[in-house]
Amino acid sequence: MASLLAGCESLPFMSSRSGAPEPVESPPVSGQPEAVGEGQQCPQPEEVVCQEPEVKVVERVIERRFETVVEVPVAKDKLVLGSVESVSIEPGGLILDSLIDSGAPTSSLSAKELQPFERDGKEWIRFKLAAPNDNSEPVTIELPVKRYVRVARPGFESQRRPVVDMSLTMGQVTHMVEVNLTDRSSLDYPLLVGRNFLKDAAVVDVSRRNVQGQPRPPLSK
C-alpha cells in the first residue's frame, strides 16, 4: 500500500515531465467589460437627435366653372326682340315704347275717353291716344269694334274690353293684329305686345332692350 500511495503521489510530477499539454485557460466570456487600465478614460456620451418626419404641404386648388354665354343663331325669317321695343301704330302714326309679353294672348293699348257709337249699322268706338310727347295733343281714332273680351286681373274685377284691328310695326316687320283697349296710364308702358304679334314671327331675348331700334313702317319715307 505504501508503494501504491507513493506511486499515486508521483503521477503529477510524471505528467509534467512526460510532455503532456497543460490545461489551457479559457478566454473571458464575451460581453463582460474589460477592466480599464490606468491612463484610459470612458468616452463622452453623445446626444442622439431623432430627425423629424418630412411634412409635405399640398396646395389645394379649387376650380370654379363659369357659365358661357353662347349666341344661338336664329332663323332669318324670325324677328329678334328685346323685352322692350319701340312700336309704330296705325292709325295714329305714333311711336310708343311697348312691353313685349309672350304670356299675354293679345296685345293691349292704353286708350282714354272710349265712346262706342254706331256707323252703317255696325258698332264703332272712338278713343284718344296720349302722344309720347306730353306737349302734344292726344290723337283721336275711330275704328270698328271687332269683338269684346273679358280680362281677369289679379286683385281687381274683370274688365270687358273692346277689341279693334291695328297695324303694329317693329323694325321692318308689320302685322295687323287684334288690340284690346283699356286705360294703362298707371303702367310703365302704354302698349303691350302679346302672342298674336309674336307667334311665328319673332323670338324674345328678355336680357336685351330695343334690339330693333326705330320702327320703319312700309309707307314711311
Side-chain angles (χ1 to χ4, degrees):
M1 289 296 293
S3 300
L4 181 59
L5 291 174
C8 291
E9 291 178 359
S10 63
L11 286 174
F13 177 76
M14 290 176 60
S15 61
S16 60
R17 287 187 176 183
S18 62
E22 296 180 358
V24 180
E25 296 181 0
S26 60
V29 180
S30 60
Q32 295 180 355
E34 298 181 357
V36 180
E38 295 182 1
Q40 295 182 358
Q41 296 181 355
C42 295
Q44 294 295 330
E46 296 181 0
E47 182 180 358
V48 179
V49 180
C50 298
Q51 295 183 354
E52 296 182 358
E54 183 180 0
V55 179
K56 295 183 179 181
V57 180
V58 179
E59 183 180 0
R60 297 184 61 186
V61 179
I62 301 176
E63 181 181 359
R64 291 180 173 87
R65 298 182 179 179
F66 298 92
E67 294 183 358
T68 303
V69 178
V70 180
E71 293 188 0
V72 179
V74 181
K76 293 182 179 180
D77 58 342
K78 296 289 185 179
L79 186 68
V80 179
L81 302 176
S83 59
V84 176
E85 293 289 343
S86 295
V87 180
S88 174
I89 63 172
E90 292 291 345
L94 299 178
I95 297 178
L96 305 175
D97 289 336
S98 64
L99 178 66
I100 311 302
D101 187 359
S102 59
T106 60
S107 301
S108 179
L109 178 63
S110 180
K112 293 184 177 181
E113 300 181 18
L114 279 72
Q115 298 177 359
F117 65 96
E118 185 175 341
R119 177 178 292 176
D120 299 332
K122 296 182 180 180
E123 185 176 3
W124 284 56
I125 191 163
R126 182 183 298 112
F127 57 93
K128 291 185 178 182
L129 298 180
N133 188 355
D134 295 336
N135 297 328
S136 301
E137 292 293 329
V139 178
T140 301
I141 299 176
E142 295 179 352
L143 288 173
V145 176
K146 190 172 182 179
R147 59 190 178 96
Y148 284 88
V149 294
R150 185 166 295 278
V151 179
R153 301 178 301 165
F156 298 91
E157 295 182 359
S158 60
Q159 287 184 337
R160 185 173 181 263
R161 300 177 182 178
V163 176
V164 296
D165 284 335
M166 300 190 74
S167 176
L168 306 184
T169 301
M170 277 187 282
Q172 294 181 342
V173 176
T174 301
H175 289 309
M176 183 71 71
V177 297
E178 292 184 349
V179 178
N180 66 69
L181 305 176
T182 185
D183 187 0
R184 294 175 53 89
S185 58
S186 61
L187 303 177
D188 294 334
Y189 301 98
L191 176 62
L192 180 145
V193 178
R195 290 197 304 269
N196 59 347
F197 182 96
L198 305 174
K199 183 179 179 181
D200 300 329
V203 292
V204 182
D205 185 351
V206 295
S207 65
R208 304 169 67 183
R209 296 167 64 99
N210 297 314
V211 176
Q212 295 298 320
Q214 289 296 311
R216 298 173 290 281
L219 301 180
S220 63
K221 297 182 180 180

